[in-house]
Amino acid sequence: MADKSKPSTLSVYLYVPNIIGYARILMNCFAFAICFKDKYLFSALYFVSFVFDALDGWFARKLNQVSTFGAVLDMVTDRISTACLLVILSQVYRPGLIFLSLLALDIGSHWLQMYSSFLVGKTSHKDVKDSSSWLFRLYYGNRKFMGYCCVSCEVLYILLFLLAKNETENLTEVLVNAATQSWFYLILLTLSVVGWLIKQLVNIIQMKTASDACILYDISKKR
């Protein structure tokens, strides 16, 4: 007899935060389909999808609908969305290798962190209380700080996409021109770049920490 107290597979798929995740995927698919036809609509849809990322987490905790599937869906959606935007920016700006390198760092560090977390028996890749890096602990331990860094990254990438007028823009020239164009752009870019830099540093720490965890796991098995 099935245990009625346990949720069924279908009911987990239909959790409210997971439904929000499906909506984000559809929204992003449409947004990227029209990104070069309507830059402003694309930016609006992309940012709304990003806001939904915070909502699904809130609903998961509020409705007691936290699930491993939901956490993975959330991360995969985030990573693919950012990756697609970085690929587009790599085609618009020169040198494009900058954005492709950021893509590799983002996906590589998060994949390693997720894998190493489950390898050592943690239930979440955000459980970094045992890390020796204060910045790493602060990032995953303080939602507001993490939110600032994540929002900064997405805002910076959207701004760069909106500011690009040609398909072979020079990244430095666009940033300098925008910063000298108005105080609004200067302040927005400054806040965004600071948060972006912190997040890239966290990604590097995350990759190193996760790599160390994988190596230490192998060493412990051989003893």
Side-chain angles (χ1 to χ4, degrees), residues 4 15 20 23 35 38 46 51 55 58 61 69 73 75 77 83 92 106 118-119 125 161 175 179 201 222-223:
K4 293 184 179 179
Y15 277 177
I20 293 174
C35 64
D38 193 330
Y46 185 90
V51 172
L55 283 179
W58 184 85
R61 294 184 295 272
F69 169 74
L73 176 68
M75 175 180 276
T77 304
V92 174
D106 188 53
F118 286 115
L119 195 64
H125 70 283
F161 182 66
L175 287 172
L201 181 57
K222 292 179 180 179
R223 287 177 179 171

Side-chain angles (χ1 to χ4, degrees), residues 90-101:
S90 74
Q91 299 303 304
V92 174
Y93 285 96
R94 297 294 177 267
L97 183 61
I98 292 176
F99 297 101
L100 295 179
S101 299

Side-chain angles (χ1 to χ4, degrees), residues 3 9 36 42 51 56 60 70-71 79 82 99 105 109 125 136 138 167-169 190 199 204 223:
D3 187 348
T9 303
F36 288 112
F42 160 77
V51 172
D56 63 14
R79 302 283 68 77
T82 304
F99 297 101
L105 175 62
S109 65
H125 70 283
F136 198 34
L138 177 63
E167 291 187 4
T168 54
E169 294 279 11
T190 300
K199 192 171 189 307
I204 293 171
R223 287 177 179 171

Side-chain angles (χ1 to χ4, degrees), residues 2 7 10 43 82 92 145 156 172 179 182 205 207:
L10 179 60
S43 300
T82 304
V92 174
F145 181 68
L156 179 61
T172 305
S182 69
I205 296 171
M207 180 173 280

